[in-house]
Amino acid sequence: MLRDELGDLAAFLVVAEERSFTRAAARLSTSQPSLSQTVRRLEERLGVRLLIRNTRNVSVTDAGEQLVNTLRPALSDINNRLQALSQFREKPAGLVRITTGQHAADTLIWPAVAETLHAYPDIKIELSLDSALTDIVSERFDAGIRLGEQIAQDMIALRIGPDIRMAVVGSPEYLSKNPLPRTPQNLTHHSCINMRMQSAGGIYPWEFSQGERELHVRVDGQFIVNNIIAAAKAAEEGLGLAIVMEDQVIKQIAEGKLIRVLDDWCPPFPGYHIYYPSRRLLSPAFQAFLQTLRDRYAVLDTERR
């Protein structure tokens, strides 16, 4: 491979991912004309057209898509192996990219992040807060943190959190004007605060179980959010019933600001796991962060492969 060819391939991959020479140039800290020339040089060298350019955006040809599918895992592996060389340094170094949701970050991740950064000055951590089920391989994350039931089977998953319960809550004002729901089916007669799931774009059906009986209930109401913290706040404001994480509303329930209903339909379920690809070479920086999580939550240290 020619000396400049690997750099040209890496530059093309960024353009293909961004679908924009302008955004790709900013990401690579270069100029748009220079980047365009680099891709054109690569196309001439390979003898095929990789990108279709117009005034508004950039799209990838079939040949370009095939090259992207080849480059993405290969360059990711090269990058991981280069980071692994830091094992020969006195301390781990490099960037660790993690995707997680707001609730997991608030309850579990912040302390581990702070501890890792204080212990290893040469490590950088990028934490992406997103409720969507991000593809950590294609988006180049080292790991994701999600509920155990949401993790693909081809991932290594390490449990880092206790069991979780959901809670259906409403304000005293709302429930004084509406009958208490005795079963999940009664929710169809209530104003409920819906949650739009970013991963699918649809409205989340409320999930309940009692013994071996499981129910998914489609509810209706005037207010829709895409954040569970906002749902709890809306319930406190009297906008309807909301289903949220139990630990988010314990204080409000104790203070009488919220009333819990359908408690016997909300059993515990497996909590948060950190997960990562089983075939990925783990960088020393990520291993240091992972060890911090293991030390903090040792009692929950069970891996699923």
Side-chain angles (χ1 to χ4, degrees):
M1 181 177 289
L2 298 176
R3 183 179 63 181
D4 296 332
E5 194 164 318
L6 184 59
D8 292 352
L9 290 168
F12 158 74
L13 181 60
V14 173
V15 176
E17 290 175 341
E18 295 292 343
R19 294 295 198 269
S20 164
F21 277 96
T22 301
R23 290 193 297 271
R27 182 169 148 189
L28 293 169
S29 300
T30 188
S31 67
Q32 190 268 346
S34 175
L35 184 57
S36 181
Q37 184 178 359
T38 296
V39 174
R40 188 173 293 107
R41 181 174 64 232
L42 177 63
E43 289 177 321
E44 291 174 355
R45 186 184 303 132
L46 296 176
V48 294
R49 191 174 187 181
L50 302 173
L51 300 173
I52 300 173
R53 309 158 175 83
N54 58 42
T55 56
R56 293 189 175 182
N57 54 32
V58 174
S59 58
V60 183
T61 65
D62 289 343
E65 191 66 39
Q66 182 174 327
L67 184 57
V68 166
N69 293 335
T70 300
L71 290 175
R72 183 174 280 140
L75 293 181
S76 176
D77 184 59
I78 291 173
N79 180 65
N80 289 333
R81 291 180 183 276
L82 289 175
Q83 288 193 38
L85 293 177
S86 67
Q87 65 182 298
F88 297 104
R89 299 168 50 122
E90 292 183 2
K91 292 184 177 181
L95 176 65
V96 178
R97 302 185 70 235
I98 305 291
T99 174
T100 186
Q102 184 72 56
H103 181 259
D106 290 342
T107 57
L108 295 170
I109 307 308
W110 290 122
V113 167
E115 183 177 334
T116 302
L117 294 180
H118 287 313
Y120 302 99
D122 295 327
I123 288 179
K124 296 181 180 180
I125 294 179
E126 177 182 339
L127 196 63
S128 176
L129 301 181
D130 188 352
S131 61
L133 299 179
T134 304
D135 184 337
I136 63 173
V137 175
S138 65
E139 297 297 326
R140 307 186 313 283
F141 285 100
D142 291 283
I145 296 168
R146 294 290 185 269
L147 296 172
E149 60 191 21
Q150 297 176 318
I151 299 172
Q153 291 296 319
D154 61 346
M155 295 284 171
I156 294 177
L158 173 69
R159 183 169 177 177
I160 60 172
D163 283 352
I164 289 176
R165 289 188 72 199
M166 302 301 288
V168 180
V169 293
S171 70
E173 178 187 6
Y174 173 81
L175 289 170
S176 69
K177 300 174 183 178
N178 297 274
L180 291 177
R182 302 298 179 184
T183 67
Q185 293 92 331
N186 295 155
L187 292 172
T188 58
H189 303 297
H190 279 265
S191 177
C192 296
I193 297 153
N194 264 309
M195 178 88 85
R196 187 175 298 280
M197 303 300 291
Q198 294 180 357
S199 56
I203 299 296
Y204 161 71
W206 292 17
E207 300 177 43
F208 299 95
S209 64
Q210 192 177 72
E212 297 184 357
R213 188 180 181 189
E214 295 186 358
L215 293 176
H216 288 194
V217 181
R218 296 281 180 182
V219 299
D220 195 15
Q222 292 180 282
F223 195 51
I224 301 172
V225 296
N226 66 349
N227 180 287
I228 199 166
I229 296 175
K233 181 63 176 177
E236 195 172 338
E237 293 293 329
L239 300 183
L241 298 178
I243 188 167
V244 297
M245 302 290 191
E246 180 184 57
D247 62 355
Q248 287 182 289
V249 291
I250 287 178
K251 181 180 179 182
Q252 293 93 321
I253 293 172
E255 294 174 348
K257 296 178 180 178
L258 288 172
I259 296 173
R260 184 171 191 169
V261 298
L262 298 176
D263 187 22
D264 56 339
W265 282 91
C266 298
F269 56 90
Y272 289 110
H273 292 60
I274 184 168
Y275 64 97
Y276 48 92
S278 59
R279 294 185 298 275
R280 175 171 290 179
L281 179 67
L282 304 183
S283 71
F286 176 62
Q287 290 184 55
F289 178 68
L290 193 61
Q291 188 59 49
T292 300
L293 290 173
R294 287 179 184 271
D295 293 343
R296 277 188 162 270
Y297 308 111
V299 68
L300 303 172
D301 188 0
T302 55
E303 286 193 357
R304 186 205 73 193
R305 292 177 181 268

